[in-house]
Amino acid sequence: MDKDLTKTSSYDYYLPPEQIAQNPIEPRDHSRLLVMHRDTMTLEHKHFYNIINYLNSGDLLVLNDTRVLPARVFATKINSSADGAKVEVFFLAPTENHKVWKVLLKPGKKCKPLTRLMLDKQNIITVGGYLEDGQREIIFEDAQDPISLIHKFGHTPLPHYIKSTTAPDERYQTVYNNRLKENSVAAPTAGLHFTQDLLNQIQEKSIKITYVTLQVGLGTFRPVKAENIHEHIMHSEICQISKETAELINEQKTAGRPVIAVGTTVVRTLESFASVYGRIKEGILDTRLFISPGFSFQIVDKLITNFHLPESTLLMLVSAFAGYEFTMKSYETAVKEKYRFFSFGDSCFIC
């Protein structure tokens, strides 16, 4: 029976809990690689360092150079009947006034506006108003530097399904992250498999590399709750493309050469710009683009990506790119072949 691809349940699949990777493979490029050939609907089982054999001179590899902010901070209430109670503050993004940040609070209902939270005896922050989607405001004092305090007290916000890991925080960063673009609450995990040596080998093969930036935001943690996928509301994320990158991509498309996206964040960035402008151009966009089967890709020709959660917008994106039946068949095979799933897991190359 044909599946109704508008139903969220059509994107479910069985995954044994032990195949959810709790630690990354070392070295980075020794993770497994499932090569998905769309033209023949066949699969190959490789390791990530083999990716170079599937890239050709003249290809263009596009990566997301964002860096993960240590966004999870633990504070203590100090001016209520619950003095001493612990509060988790998850910093999402600054507002236009950089002294005010959008956050998630846990427990949020017990943090009324003007509640004061102590980071240490010298640093107090204040809970502000209510925002959409359960978000709140945190207000810093004029003399405080929010980024410095987040770095001092923050922890890397690993996904909820990583319950036990020995990996250092830096292992949840790509080797090519830009420290000036530390603005994400989750890593662009498709890029975690690259080593600097592998990137050097790729460039030595006359394969071009360029970068975009998408600030991975709250939507990463939000499941699809609507029964019909088209009723799901994507959270906005900021994405940016430089003049140099725009020119490279447009030249690549004009010449008919492949554009290879490293990760779904790159796909959303490139296709968001193409949807708005009809081409790639320099600039910044606030995107809510939701890619699902039936979407017409204008820029991305091939995709490197990890294995994604059941019923997630990312699995729907992959199903749009690779075809629903081939995607679900590939995931079924990956489960059977004991691939490791999600952020610290293995990778796919959809070509």
Side-chain angles (χ1 to χ4, degrees), residues 96-114:
E96 290 183 5
N97 173 4
H98 279 234
K99 293 295 184 180
V100 180
W101 278 62
K102 298 176 183 179
V103 303
L104 295 178
L105 296 176
K106 188 189 294 185
K109 292 181 179 179
K110 296 183 179 180
C111 291
K112 299 186 182 302
L114 301 183

Side-chain angles (χ1 to χ4, degrees), residues 38-334:
R38 289 180 291 173
D39 55 349
T40 59
M41 293 187 68
T42 56
L43 302 173
E44 290 185 274
H45 303 285
K46 301 292 182 179
H47 287 89
F48 195 79
Y49 52 76
N50 297 128
I51 191 71
I52 194 166
N53 299 325
Y54 295 89
L55 305 177
N56 301 303
S57 174
D59 287 354
L60 176 62
L61 206 61
V62 187
L63 305 96
N64 181 5
D65 64 359
T66 191
R67 183 173 171 83
V68 182
L69 186 73
R72 182 170 279 125
V73 173
F74 298 95
T76 305
K77 294 172 94 172
I78 60 171
N79 66 333
S80 71
S81 58
D83 273 12
K86 299 297 182 183
V87 177
E88 179 183 313
V89 186
F90 194 136
F91 288 90
L92 298 173
T95 64
E96 290 183 5
N97 173 4
H98 279 234
K99 293 295 184 180
V100 180
W101 278 62
K102 298 176 183 179
V103 303
L104 295 178
L105 296 176
K106 188 189 294 185
K109 292 181 179 179
K110 296 183 179 180
C111 291
K112 299 186 182 302
L114 301 183
T115 297
R116 303 183 78 214
L117 303 176
M118 181 173 69
L119 304 177
D120 64 11
K121 291 182 179 179
Q122 287 75 43
N123 290 287
I124 311 296
I125 55 179
T126 304
V127 177
Y130 298 87
L131 303 172
E132 64 176 359
D133 300 322
Q135 297 179 42
R136 301 291 299 278
E137 290 180 330
I138 282 292
I139 303 167
F140 289 87
E141 297 176 2
D142 286 342
Q144 294 175 325
D145 176 13
I147 292 294
S148 294
L149 290 180
I150 292 170
H151 271 277
K152 181 176 181 180
F153 297 102
H155 304 266
T156 299
L158 293 176
H160 64 88
Y161 47 77
I162 298 179
K163 303 180 185 301
S164 175
T165 186
T166 58
D169 286 350
E170 198 62 25
R171 191 56 180 80
Y172 192 59
Q173 306 279 8
T174 62
V175 298
Y176 51 81
N177 72 82
N178 186 333
R179 290 184 177 271
L180 298 178
K181 298 178 180 179
E182 188 176 50
N183 45 29
S184 287
V185 300
T189 54
L192 296 180
H193 305 278
F194 286 92
T195 63
Q196 189 57 58
D197 182 59
L198 180 57
L199 289 170
N200 293 341
Q201 291 178 46
I202 288 170
Q203 289 183 305
E204 288 168 3
K205 197 175 176 181
S206 298
I207 297 159
K208 293 169 284 187
I209 296 176
T210 194
Y211 302 91
V212 298
T213 305
L214 181 136
Q215 301 177 18
V216 186
L218 181 61
T220 298
F221 299 96
R222 294 296 197 198
V224 179
K225 295 182 178 179
E227 183 177 348
N228 186 315
I229 66 173
H230 298 301
E231 295 175 1
H232 176 71
I233 299 174
M234 290 288 286
H235 288 77
S236 65
E237 292 176 308
I238 303 297
C239 52
Q240 182 174 4
I241 295 180
S242 69
K243 181 180 179 181
E244 177 187 15
T245 292
E247 290 175 349
L248 270 173
I249 293 171
N250 289 326
E251 289 171 4
Q252 194 78 356
K253 298 305 292 184
T254 299
R257 294 191 295 263
V259 172
I260 303 168
V262 177
T264 57
T265 61
V266 173
V267 175
R268 291 189 66 237
T269 298
L270 299 182
E271 298 299 336
S272 292
F273 273 80
S275 295
V276 172
Y277 302 112
R279 62 195 293 273
I280 302 301
K281 62 176 290 186
E282 175 187 9
I284 299 175
L285 277 181
D286 187 349
T287 182
R288 290 179 179 264
L289 182 64
F290 179 19
I291 297 175
S292 61
F295 182 84
S296 180
F297 292 86
Q298 299 183 60
I299 305 298
V300 178
D301 299 297
K302 300 178 183 181
L303 171 61
I304 297 170
T305 187
N306 279 19
F307 293 97
H308 301 294
L309 275 70
E311 299 186 346
S312 65
T313 60
L314 303 183
L315 181 55
M316 294 167 193
L317 183 155
V318 171
S319 297
F321 190 77
Y324 172 80
E325 291 186 3
F326 186 37
T327 297
M328 301 310 287
K329 170 194 169 186
S330 300
Y331 270 58
E332 181 181 349
T333 300

